[in-house]
Each structure stands twice: as structure tokens, then as C-alpha cells.
Amino acid sequence: MKKSELKELMNEMTLAEKIGQLVQVTPDFFNQSGEITGPAAEWQLSENKLFQIGSVLGTHTAEQVATIQKSYLEESRLKIPLLFMADVIHGYETIFPIPLALASSFSSELTEEVARLSALEATRAGVHVTFSPMADHVMDSRWGRVLESNGEDPILSAELTRGYVRGYQGTDLETETERLAACVKHFIGYGAVQGGRDYNHVDLSPIELYQNYLPAFQAAIEEGVKLVMTSFNPINGQLMSLNRPLIKETLRQELGFNGVVISDWNALEELLAHRVVGDKQQAAAEAFEAGTDIDMMSDCYINHLAEYSDLDSHALDEAVYRILKLKNELGLFENPFRGIQEEAKPIEGALRIAVKEAAMKSFVLLKNDSDTLPIRTQQQVFLLGPKASSKDILGAWSWIGKTEQAIDLAEGLTEQLPHLTVGAAESWAEPSEAEYVKLSEEAKASDVVILALGESSEETGEAASKAEICLPEYQIKLVKRMAAANKNLVVVLFNGRPLDLTAIEPYAKSIVEVWFPGSEGGRAIAETLIGQHNPEGKLPMSFPRAVGQLPFSYQAYSTGRPLTEQNQQEKYVSKYMDVGNEPLYPFGHGLSYSKLSIEAITQSAEVLTEDEPLTIQATVRNDSAQAGNTTVQLYVEDQVSELVRPVKELKSWQQLTVAGNTTAQCTFTLTAADLGYVHSNLTRYPDLGKFRFFVGLDSQNTLTGQFELCEKSEGL
Ligand code: GLC
């Protein structure tokens, strides 16, 4: 539809029809089943109003979409097609590894491909918009939603977010009907919930918000993201659904976002629970005035916005126009059944291959003493544990993922290992002593014991916060008993958050983090455990030694009394009495079956200026016969800065393959802009002066150099 025609359509709309476009409900309002991802609605919609709403969220099938769209177009006066939105977070029916797993690849090419393939399946089911990518900055794994994040580094998260938006949206949503409009979320600060408790209070300084929370949203907007979802939390005491400064000034004016702003589920009604509005009419008025275009799953707009006597008709037209424009960009006026194909060619096979590849890139080898891994295929292997034959490996946001068709670890290993014994999947919660004896006998008789442990998907994701993040006691006991029976113990971890592994670390020779690996998980893990795939993942989020260290980030601040090698015994330094300051496994950590190390670094100069970037070359050595992939990381420390700065910040990374018994080089280019940070006036620029840089295969074990950032004249 031409822009002029959209304007003409607007002119025909009544106030009620305009308000209707700002409303989103679930399929059950149309007597269809759908995904319920929040509290059930306690309000009703008249039929007249139902056929004025603008969008639906949470459908499962193309048939549902077609049924709802058809009846809507028949009943509605102006026949403006509905938008269909869904949580396509890491796949639709064929499920990819969870986003935190994909982040372990450090690859925006991977997130782009996963998003593109997810859109392939979702658009066939009639979905137009996905509530993804989740771009929340996170430092606290008590919060279950870290599983859908890109981890603790703002630059890594921004790059991975770019990949998702590119992959979902492509370049032209009207002609590319196998792409989705993306909705970046949750704007903003949701990952900083106090105590790691979901939906809890957030208190962030503007500098922290601009420095660490905004970059991923800015990246999404630069990639042309079509929607932004506001978060449940307040910033500066104002709930995000009605936070006018952050929506109208920061998001729209500063970041230049001109797409649709949608609330989170029932967030407008929840303003009453926050006690910041007295009734739904005030909730509607203040959310609308602040710039929230769509009210998801509350009846504040549909039943109360018209009561707002000061409703600005121009602002209303602008909001409605943004929604109609999005529908038009998706080609819905010409084809309300976009994406639905009568005779779709099967794609599941191709997707499953991609799922397995993505999973293998996401596994992180945390520990591998005595080269216990890879397993030799002729070895006697005993597999047991609650996740050994579990198909609960798709993760918390895999709504219509076919769990029953997921390849579990026992199935994957059975394909590869002729001498595999699988412990019966009876209740693992508390084997009897007799059962323990039997298990120990089997373990003793094996060359290697694989223990598959971790979380259920119900324990992760939204509304799944934990005050303790260690494995359940029964799993720790199983580790100890099996280690007593056989020292060659490999732990495979299925979890959606960094866990406190302190209790089991000493007992396991090898620990492999597989996260929730998706539909082909068991096959991908098996091929990795036998060495067909050499692990290459790197942790996007630190694994703490204790929950008491949280919130935690490698981007720590030095404090006035830093703990050092020399003052470990001193009292008056910043440390804990009972655990160390460092994590158990640091950000960027991930081993390989190859023996990889940074052999040397060189730098192009001692001085860096605006016109003279600095190049840093790293040589990676492989002291083993097996080629290995790895991610070389470049960190920087600002040695004297106006504001407090972290002791280390990731600035860039390079991925490379090092052939057996050789070396390989990679080069980084560091510019003055890379050294910028957010100052008191909330603008980003660097301080002149000395810097140190660190090059490593993780954020702790690095080679170091230094340089000075100078004015042009001084430097030349
Ligand atoms: C949920 C989540 C949000 C999701 C939305 C729709 O409450 O907070 O991430 O996209 O509702 O399901």
C-alpha cells in the first residue's frame, strides 16, 4: 500500500479503531489455543472491540493464524490485517541451542544464521514478528533469564545482537516473506534486577546504563530493528512502560529509533501493583504519553484510553501510523496470510544439520585433565545421570519445539560407542545404597564414566530465579560416589545459567558445558566427546566460585584496596574471608583438545592517535597434532581515567584455526574511538594517557603490552 493510501486509511478510522490497533492479545480471545507466557487475563473484550485490535501473540500453527486472520477480516469494518507475533527465541519447531550457548561461539555470523533459519520455520507458521533478540546486559546468574542473553560483555552482546537482527529481518521484509520483523528487548536494565529475582526492583546509575546496558540496543537500532519491547522494571524510579525520558528522549531522539514500542505482558496493568498509578485509565494515559505504542495483554488501552480526556489525537495518529507502516512493510495489506505456504518443501532435515553445527560451536570445555577427553571409541564407557537419557534439552523458550524428537545424549553416544552402558533412567533423586553399589560396580568396570547432570528447563528462563546456583545435593553426591569408583569421570552439564561448580570440580577429570543444546543435542555432544569435533566455545559469562560473588563480571573495578598477589594475607583489602575474588571459570575461558597458547604479541607503535590506530599481532601456537579453532581476545585497561573504569574490557576478538604443531597469527586494530567510555555528561569519548592491553585465549591468562593515547600533534 502506498504511504498516501495509509494516510487515507487513517482518516477513515474512528477513535475506537485507532485505539484498537494499539492492543495485543493471545489467541484464546479468538477461541484458539496459544502460548501463555504470563498471568492469565482477568478481563473480557466485547466482540466489537475484539475485531478492532491490532495484533495477536503466541499462535502455534499456520492454521490458527489463517483461522484468526480470516475471521478478523470478515468481521472488522476496515479489514486492517492483524500482526502475528511470537517468542521465536532460538528456533520455532526445530530448536537451536539457547542464546547463552550461541553466545559461547562469539560469532555474530552464527547468530545471524540461526535467526535466518528460525525465521524460515516461523514464517511458514504465519508469524510476522519475533520477540527477539533479547539484549539485556547480565551479571547475575541467579536470574533465570540469563539463558536468553548474550552474557556479561556489552560489546560481545552488541555484536551478537546485530547478527540476530540481520538474520531475522534480511533486507526487505515485503519481498522476503521468509524473514521476520525483530523486536529487541527488554528496554532497559531488566538484567539488573536486585537479588537476581525476576520482576524485582532495578536501580542503575545513568553512566552504568549508558556504558553497559544501552550498546546492544543501539546496535539493534543501527541494524534497523523494527520494534523495541519495554521492560517490567523501573529506571530512576519510573517504570519503563511509562518512562518518557528513556523512551522519547534516549530511545527515539538520541538513538533515532522510529519503529514500534511494545510493552511487556500486562505491564500496563502492573503499574497498579507498583502503586505508581491509581487506576487503569491513569495507567493508559501515562504509558501512552510516555510513548508505549502497543499494550500487550492488558485492557488498559482497549477499555480505558478513550476515557483520557487529554489524549493527543496527533500522538495517537503517530502511534497508529507506526503500526500500520510495519504491517505495510510486511506486505500484509496485499497478503494477510504472509509466509503461509500450502505445499511447503520440508526443511527440518537441513535445519537439524544447522542445529548440530551450532551446538558444537557452543560447547565449552571447562576442564580436561590428563586428556581424559576425547574418548577413544573402543573404550568401555558408562553413561548415567538425570540428563543421560533426558529429552529435556531444548531450554525454557522452546514453546513448540518437539521435545519428544530431540536426540538425547544416550542416543547420540549409542551411535558412536560400541561399548556403551547406559544407567537406567530410574529416579536419580536418591538411589538406594544397593543401587549406588550397583552403579559403582558398573563404573569400576568401565574405562570412562560420563555423568550427565544439570538443570531442568523449568528451572531456567523467565520466573525461574534461584538463590542458590550449585547443583542439587543428589547430583553432587552422585559425582563423589562415581569418582570414588572411577577417577576417569567426565561431567556433561545441561544448564541455562552459570552454576557454582565448586563442589564437583575437584572430582571430575573433565567438565563439558553443553547448555541446552537443542534438537540435535545428543548427537552434537557425542561427536564432541569422541573428538570428531574439537571444542571451541568460550564462556560469555563467568562461572562464580560462590553465589555470594554475584552480581559478577570480569569487568571488575580495581577499588582503592585491590587484592593482589602480594597482599593476600592483609586484612584491609577488598576480598572475601571465605572465597577468592576470582571466578571458578572466567569470561572467555574454553579449552580445546589441541594444546593452544599465545606465543607472542607485537604492536605497531607505542603511541595511538585519532589518525594513527594501533595494530597488535598475536601468534598462537598449537603444541599438538590436532588442529584447533579458538577465539583470541583483546582487552584494554585505561591506566588513568576521569571516571572509575574496569581493570579489563574486551575490545575485539579474532577467530582462527591453528593446524597441528604450527602457529597462526591474527591482527587487531585498535582506534581511539575503541577506547572511549561514557563520561559524566553521558557522552562517550576516550581520555588521553597510558593504557595496557591484554591478549589471551581467555580474560585471565594473557600477554600484556602498553601504549599511550596522544593528541595528533604530540604523537607525530
Ligand atoms: C514475557 C517476557 C517477554 C516475552 C513476552 C511475550 O513476559 O517477559 O520476554 O517476549 O512475555 O511472551
Side-chain angles (χ1 to χ4, degrees):
M1 190 183 271
K2 296 191 188 72
K3 190 173 174 178
S4 57
E5 293 172 299
L6 278 184
K7 296 286 187 185
E8 283 163 26
L9 176 59
M10 292 269 300
N11 294 333
E12 290 179 55
M13 294 173 78
T14 64
L15 173 64
E17 286 165 336
K18 289 179 179 177
I19 289 174
Q21 286 297 313
L22 312 184
V23 177
Q24 180 174 98
V25 299
T26 44
D28 49 298
F29 282 82
F30 291 90
N31 302 316
Q32 293 284 328
S33 68
E35 214 52 57
I36 302 300
T37 57
E42 291 165 5
W43 38 273
Q44 303 296 323
L45 267 192
S46 67
E47 188 157 286
N48 176 40
K49 285 185 175 178
L50 180 64
F51 291 108
Q52 292 174 339
I53 67 158
S55 57
V56 171
L57 81 156
T59 49
H60 281 169
T61 66
E63 292 70 27
Q64 271 181 352
V65 168
T67 303
I68 295 171
Q69 189 75 291
K70 186 169 176 293
S71 71
Y72 182 91
L73 293 174
E74 283 166 358
E75 298 298 326
S76 82
R77 185 176 76 90
L78 291 172
K79 309 201 180 309
I80 299 171
L82 286 165
L83 260 180
F84 287 87
M85 307 192 191
D87 292 284
V88 185
I89 308 297
H90 50 107
Y92 194 63
E93 291 187 65
T94 308
I95 301 298
F96 288 86
I98 57 173
L100 191 60
L102 297 173
S104 308
S105 71
F106 276 58
S107 167
S108 59
E109 289 75 23
L110 183 63
T111 56
E112 180 170 350
E113 182 60 0
V114 168
R116 183 186 72 82
L117 294 171
S118 304
L120 269 184
E121 258 188 353
T123 51
R124 287 159 173 244
V127 179
H128 306 139
V129 176
T130 177
F131 297 124
S132 176
M134 189 266 216
D136 294 320
H137 179 62
V138 296
M139 299 190 289
D140 193 333
S141 55
R142 290 173 296 179
W143 190 49
R145 302 201 73 165
V146 299
L147 112 156
E148 52 191 294
S149 78
N150 297 312
E152 72 195 43
D153 183 81
I155 290 181
L156 174 63
S157 182
E159 281 314 300
L160 298 175
T161 297
R162 288 180 189 278
Y164 280 111
V165 174
R166 287 195 299 263
Y168 285 131
Q169 297 192 165
T171 53
D172 180 353
L173 285 167
E174 185 169 14
T175 55
E176 297 172 49
T177 55
E178 295 189 328
R179 302 280 191 166
L180 290 166
C183 174
V184 65
K185 68 187 185 183
H186 306 81
F187 187 75
I188 192 166
Y190 188 12
V193 282
Q194 289 179 351
R197 179 159 53 89
D198 212 350
Y199 316 121
N200 201 7
H201 188 65
V202 167
D203 189 5
L204 276 178
S205 71
I207 286 180
E208 178 71 9
L209 188 131
Y210 271 68
Q211 177 66 36
N212 290 323
Y213 291 79
L214 219 47
F217 287 89
Q218 182 166 357
I221 292 163
E222 288 169 0
E223 293 296 335
V225 74
K226 296 296 180 186
L227 299 93
V228 170
M229 183 189 296
T230 52
S231 53
F232 289 118
N233 58 281
I235 292 289
N236 304 327
Q238 279 196 296
L239 272 300
M240 279 312 300
S241 304
L242 49 68
N243 196 310
R244 187 190 185 108
L246 280 168
I247 297 175
K248 290 205 165 175
E249 291 157 31
T250 305
L251 182 65
R252 292 238 188 255
Q253 290 167 19
E254 282 180 53
L255 300 189
F257 178 64
N258 55 22
V260 174
V261 174
I262 183 170
S263 80
D264 204 337
W265 183 291
N266 195 40
L268 268 60
E269 180 173 346
E270 289 168 15
L271 294 171
L272 281 82
H274 283 283
R275 307 189 331 281
V276 293
V277 295
D279 56 31
K280 288 185 177 182
Q281 195 256 346
Q282 186 187 356
E286 294 198 17
F288 183 77
E289 289 292 336
T292 296
D293 295 324
I294 295 182
D295 173 8
M296 180 199 292
M297 276 306 285
S298 105
D299 72 328
C300 292
Y301 279 5
I302 193 77
N303 287 335
H304 303 282
L305 187 58
E307 300 157 12
Y308 176 39
S309 54
D310 291 342
L311 179 60
D312 175 338
S313 59
H314 177 64
L316 178 60
D317 284 354
E318 283 185 328
V320 173
Y321 184 75
R322 283 191 284 269
I323 294 162
L324 298 186
K325 178 169 173 285
L326 175 58
K327 293 184 178 184
N328 200 36
E329 285 171 345
L330 285 157
L332 294 183
F333 289 100
E334 290 73 27
N335 176 13
F337 304 94
R338 173 187 191 269
I340 297 173
Q341 302 175 31
E342 292 307 321
E343 298 299 321
K345 66 181 180 0
I347 55 171
E348 185 177 348
L351 259 60
R352 277 184 169 267
I353 292 167
V355 165
K356 191 180 81 172
E357 291 302 315
M360 291 195 287
K361 285 184 180 301
S362 71
F363 298 153
V364 185
L365 182 57
L366 297 177
K367 180 180 182 184
N368 193 30
D369 288 358
S370 326
D371 292 338
T372 305
L373 290 176
I375 290 167
R376 271 64 80 190
T377 48
Q378 290 315 310
Q379 286 184 299
Q380 292 284 352
V381 178
F382 179 33
L383 167 67
L384 74 160
K387 301 297 270 192
S389 306
S390 165
K391 292 187 180 294
D392 178 21
I393 59 175
L394 303 185
W397 280 103
S398 55
W399 299 124
I400 56 172
K402 301 173 192 160
T403 303
E404 69 292 344
Q405 292 177 21
I407 304 297
D408 65 45
L409 181 52
E411 289 166 335
L413 282 173
T414 303
E415 291 173 351
Q416 303 291 348
L417 296 176
H419 311 299
L420 174 72
T421 306
V422 181
E426 68 261 359
S427 151
W428 291 100
E430 193 49 58
S432 64
E433 192 46 40
E435 280 162 345
Y436 264 128
V437 169
K438 208 170 78 179
L439 293 172
S440 299
E441 288 310 313
E442 188 61 57
K444 281 194 187 89
S446 305
D447 298 315
V448 178
V449 177
I450 300 175
L451 253 182
L453 306 173
E455 297 179 299
S456 75
S457 52
E458 289 305 307
E459 296 177 81
T460 65
E462 184 174 358
S465 305
K466 286 185 175 179
E468 285 299 342
I469 55 167
C470 33
L471 287 167
E473 200 44 50
Y474 82 93
Q475 292 190 23
I476 296 171
K477 189 174 172 185
L478 200 52
V479 168
K480 292 178 177 174
R481 293 291 292 261
M482 290 305 104
N486 188 325
K487 291 288 171 248
N488 291 331
L489 182 62
V490 174
V491 169
V492 177
L493 275 177
F494 296 78
N495 45 298
R497 58 165 43 94
L499 295 172
D500 165 4
L501 302 176
T502 312
I504 68 158
E505 195 277 337
Y507 298 92
K509 282 275 184 71
S510 303
I511 302 177
V512 187
E513 177 56 72
V514 299
W515 309 108
F516 281 93
S519 304
E520 286 287 304
R523 206 163 265 148
I525 300 166
E527 290 186 19
T528 302
L529 294 181
I530 67 167
Q532 269 181 19
H533 174 76
N534 191 350
E536 55 188 280
K538 298 287 185 181
L539 288 180
M541 211 175 162
S542 310
F543 274 54
R545 289 184 184 282
V547 69
Q549 288 180 314
L550 301 179
F552 184 96
S553 166
Y554 83 90
Q555 289 193 346
Y557 293 87
S558 47
T559 78
R561 299 185 177 184
L563 181 64
T564 65
E565 293 297 320
Q566 295 69 35
N567 66 9
Q568 297 283 324
Q569 302 314 316
E570 280 191 33
K571 178 174 178 57
Y572 299 104
V573 292
S574 180
K575 66 178 182 180
Y576 299 102
M577 305 268 302
D578 47 0
V579 295
N581 288 3
E582 295 306 317
L584 182 61
Y585 297 115
F587 174 86
H589 170 74
L591 302 177
S592 164
Y593 295 149
S594 308
K595 299 291 172 245
L596 302 174
S597 60
I598 305 283
E599 178 179 69
I601 54 175
T602 59
Q603 62 191 89
S604 60
E606 301 295 319
V607 164
L608 185 158
T609 69
E610 263 176 43
D611 293 350
E612 297 284 325
L614 177 70
T615 58
I616 295 165
Q617 186 172 72
T619 300
V620 181
R621 165 168 291 287
N622 181 354
D623 284 325
S624 62
Q626 179 169 11
N629 298 333
T630 192
T631 299
V632 186
Q633 302 147 45
L634 171 66
Y635 299 85
V636 163
E637 178 196 34
D638 196 337
Q639 292 201 285
V640 178
S641 50
E642 179 205 350
L643 300 186
V644 175
R645 304 295 307 129
V647 295
K648 204 172 275 178
E649 293 177 89
L650 179 70
K651 291 299 174 189
S652 180
W653 57 95
Q654 300 273 346
Q655 301 192 305
L656 78 172
T657 299
V658 193
N661 298 315
T662 62
T663 60
Q665 279 74 37
C666 62
T667 302
F668 299 95
T669 300
L670 209 49
T671 65
D674 292 331
L675 304 174
Y677 69 91
V678 176
H679 284 66
S680 311
N681 62 0
L682 299 184
T683 60
R684 191 181 283 269
Y685 59 88
D687 295 336
L688 299 179
K690 291 189 185 332
F691 289 79
R692 284 200 301 168
F693 67 84
F694 311 84
V695 178
L697 300 182
D698 64 54
S699 58
Q700 273 184 349
N701 307 292
T702 56
L703 293 187
T704 302
Q706 56 188 18
F707 62 89
E708 186 164 357
L709 174 62
C710 299
E711 294 282 9
K712 264 184 291 190
S713 53
E714 281 175 54
L716 299 179

